[in-house]
Amino acid sequence: MHNKWQASEEKRVIAEFAPATGSDLASCIYVSRLLGNEPDLVLHGGGNTSVKTTTLDVMGAPQTTLFVKGSGFDLSGITSEGFSGILLDPLKRMRSLEKLPDNEMIRELRRHLFNPDSPVPSVEAFLHAFIPSKFIVHTHPASILGLTNQENAAAKVQEALGSNVSTVPYVRAGFGLAKLAAEAFDRQSKAAGMVLLQHGLVTWGDSAEEAYAATIELVSKAENWWNGRMPAAKDVKSTSLESAWQRYVQIAPMLRGILAEPTGEQDHPFRRFVLIPWITAEALEMVDDPGVKQLALSPPLTPDHLIRTKSIPVFIADPNYEDHAKLKEQFRSAIQAYAQDYQAYFERHAHRIESGARRLDPLPRVILLPGIGVICGGETEKAALIARDIMAQSIHVKRWFALSGIKYRGLEEDHLFDMEYFLMQQAKLKIHDVPLQRQVAIVTGAAGAIGMGITEALLQNGCHVALTDLPGEHLDQSASKLKKRFPNQVFSAGMDVTDPQSVQRGFNEVIRQWGGVDLVIVNAGVAMVSSLAEMDLDGFRRLEKVNVEGTLLVLREAARLFQLQGTGGDVILISTRNVFAPGAKFGAYSATKAAAHQLARIASLELADLGVRVNMVAPDAVFSHGQVNSGLWAEVGPDRMKSRGLDQAGLEDYYRNRNLLKARITAEHVARAVLFFATRKTPTTGATLPVDGGLPDSTPR
């Protein structure tokens, strides 16, 4: 591992943060980011750092303060807001206590916060307080975790890293571990670092650079130890990446449906997962090797990981990819067996559960599939990505054991349970009360005004949204803007709704990204101004192809996918008031949208048995959304302005004044109507919700 310390970059970070935080905390921010951007050292919120410095109280008196990373914060992009400042002297005095229960430990940490608005301090705050060095960094290096998951782990650590490294036996993070670490430091205060067995590495120094350099040096020694025991890789005949991805697209919706947890609720019958695959040559070599199944099913490298991955994955041996009915039964049986085993595991240890800890669902987060790779699930894309990255690291290290012939020794079950039901660990699983968090939507015509309005509303409600439109700069720019605001929720795919293969490819790209689709917004449409007497047949056919055939192709692909998933879903067609009140010179649009509307009504009849609701939203004129102008009104507007002698503003006023409420109709209004159906406020299907301010000539409504 290379030392990436750059004095010039530290100076830049100090210049950015020191005026508000002081140079000590600014240096700690820099070293934290260095560590956080090295996946072999920490992953997604793992690890923690600290610095001891002097602050002033409101009277101007100096006080020694420990700044330690807040619980759950990610080191890679941390700022001063990610650190908790704690008065150090009261914490140091508590070392004399024989024990400190977790709830009291948390209360004491909160009581001595320098700023009451600071985040909850890391569970390892007392460890940072009891070790006297100025800067302390704690990481979970893959190579060192590998050393600690062996028989005689302490001896292996000494062998690899040298006698100038102290070791601490495994104890769950908290006050007890802090006391053991402090005692180890006292015995060997000149040590280069400390290894917490089956947990990680702690190093320290008078400067952030010194603590960082010690980490890099010890990790490099561990890597060299492993490299010296690696024989030439054995030849494993594994699946090609192309075949693995083809299989994944075919089976992911089925697996996602089986993983969905029934709720017993009428309107929200399932809690779904977002799926993220890890399909690489390394993953395939692992799952395709019949000799490594037991290793793959062993406990995680460190219990810090299992809050994201559960203690073990599901391994489905000999999956029958040729017969999907049999494969579905294999999936169902394996996941039911896993849930039953988890239930038994919980009951064996339930008497030890912490007060306030919530019972976790019994479903796996990781599935190992020979011929495909590793599939990870989570409530959100971010949660599934964390699980994937942890499993990627775990498999990478466990392959070292497979290749070297060294026996892997994970933690015992009781230790795993204690960490899984540790209140401060569960606090990292932030539960957001947003109605569409577990859902995946696909929006056609997403780069237009109404499409963007709908997409933003879905994203604000936690949905994962695939923007689809004709490929090109317009779609790319729309997606790029939204990704900045909603990371881990946005994906874009070029799709021509008039091309069956393009529609299928678009849906498949969403499956590759998130495993399936729950909500389909059929929004793509085009318009044309022409009287019937002068109508060009090719022009009419162009509208028919987009508005009618495009709707049919999207409905057809959605129906196929919903049937495969088996967890219901929603389809919402963006219809138009012209279905009920057609306009002169607007015959092609009115007729083709009426046909699309009728297709959606038929879909509501045909898909109800699958638990799929199909509804329509019928807006009047929407001219723009923010900086995005309506393509339809770019086509229609000039004729309407000319016929009425109006400019753009006058035309918008005309449409506003013709409805009963004198309301300007916006994309946000359309989006709210979509959300009404998408969040299933009522048990409704086959209905049309007008968004037009009340148009008398559109009745019956």
Side-chain angles (χ1 to χ4, degrees), residues 522-595:
V522 187
N523 174 62
V526 292
M528 178 179 73
V529 176
S530 174
S531 66
L532 297 178
E534 298 174 345
M535 188 170 295
D536 175 68
L537 186 57
D538 287 339
F540 181 88
R541 286 171 174 161
R542 179 177 69 88
L543 266 66
E544 187 276 334
K545 202 163 182 62
V546 174
N547 298 346
V548 184
E549 292 183 30
T551 297
L552 173 61
L553 292 174
V554 172
L555 288 174
R556 187 176 74 177
E557 196 63 27
R560 181 196 68 79
L561 181 57
F562 286 141
Q563 187 168 24
L564 195 58
Q565 287 181 160
T567 56
D570 288 271
V571 176
I572 301 169
L573 172 77
I574 306 305
S575 184
T576 171
R577 52 85 59 178
N578 291 81
V579 170
F580 308 97
K585 293 190 175 182
F586 222 32
Y589 181 76
S590 299
T592 55
K593 289 295 285 186

Side-chain angles (χ1 to χ4, degrees), residues 13 100 107 401 595 600 613 670:
V13 174
L100 187 64
R107 189 160 53 244
F401 284 86
R613 301 179 183 185
V670 181

Side-chain angles (χ1 to χ4, degrees), residues 132-146:
S133 300
K134 184 178 181 69
F135 287 90
I136 298 174
V137 300
H138 169 44
T139 54
H140 304 146
S143 56
I144 288 178
L145 290 175

Side-chain angles (χ1 to χ4, degrees), residues 40 63 129 177 246 262 305 419 448 539 563 599 667 680:
D40 282 342
Q63 53 192 359
L177 175 61
Q246 287 174 349
H305 289 168
M419 198 63 170
Q563 187 168 24
L599 285 172
R680 296 189 159 195

Side-chain angles (χ1 to χ4, degrees), residues 581-618:
K585 293 190 175 182
F586 222 32
Y589 181 76
S590 299
T592 55
K593 289 295 285 186
H597 191 100
Q598 194 75 335
L599 285 172
R601 292 182 65 199
I602 293 167
S604 72
L605 303 174
E606 295 183 355
L607 301 183
D609 286 346
L610 296 176
V612 177
R613 301 179 183 185
V614 184
N615 292 289
M616 291 72 74
V617 173

Side-chain angles (χ1 to χ4, degrees), residues 21-22 24 51-56 61-67 114 134:
T21 68
D24 285 342
V51 62
K52 299 175 182 71
T53 189
T54 300
T55 58
L56 301 178
Q63 53 192 359
T64 307
T65 304
L66 170 73
F67 283 97
F114 175 61
K134 184 178 181 69

